[in-house]
Amino acid sequence: MSDAVGSLDTPDAQDEVPESRKKTRKGGKRAKKGPLKRLALFYRQIVAELRKVVWPTRTQLTRYTTVVIIFVVVMIGLVTVIDYGLDHAAKYVFG
């Protein structure tokens, strides 16, 4: 079966890669490096990723910290009120 581009059964000539150009992997790049070089590469990659991080300014950090502390205090108060209410309800029911 054939269409305007070519046969569906055979690959196009541009898709074919000669055997001499195909790369064979015998263990990849890791096999060529020792454990210390791999560890050094790992730490270099960590530093490179940390440089990509957008760090907050001092005012943003202060604002975020304040919001988190207020949220935690509100949640502590909510849990305390619910616990106190359930404690009194249990004492009323069970004597």
Side-chain angles (χ1 to χ4, degrees), residues 82-95:
I82 291 172
D83 184 50
Y84 185 74
L86 289 175
D87 180 49
H88 279 294
K91 286 181 182 176
Y92 178 76
V93 171
F94 297 113

Side-chain angles (χ1 to χ4, degrees), residues 13 15 42 90:
D15 292 341
F42 177 70

Side-chain angles (χ1 to χ4, degrees), residues 39-58:
L39 189 62
L41 174 66
F42 177 70
Y43 283 116
R44 280 196 309 269
Q45 289 174 344
I46 289 174
V47 170
E49 287 297 321
L50 285 175
R51 287 186 180 150
K52 294 178 187 177
V53 173
V54 179
W55 297 99
T57 62
R58 182 178 288 280

Side-chain angles (χ1 to χ4, degrees), residues 16-24:
E16 295 178 8
V17 178
E19 292 295 324
S20 61
R21 293 188 63 197
K22 288 185 181 179
K23 294 182 180 179
T24 57

Side-chain angles (χ1 to χ4, degrees), residues 55-70:
W55 297 99
T57 62
R58 182 178 288 280
T59 56
Q60 289 174 332
L61 189 62
T62 305
R63 186 175 298 132
Y64 297 156
T65 304
T66 305
V67 167
V68 168
I69 290 173
I70 290 172

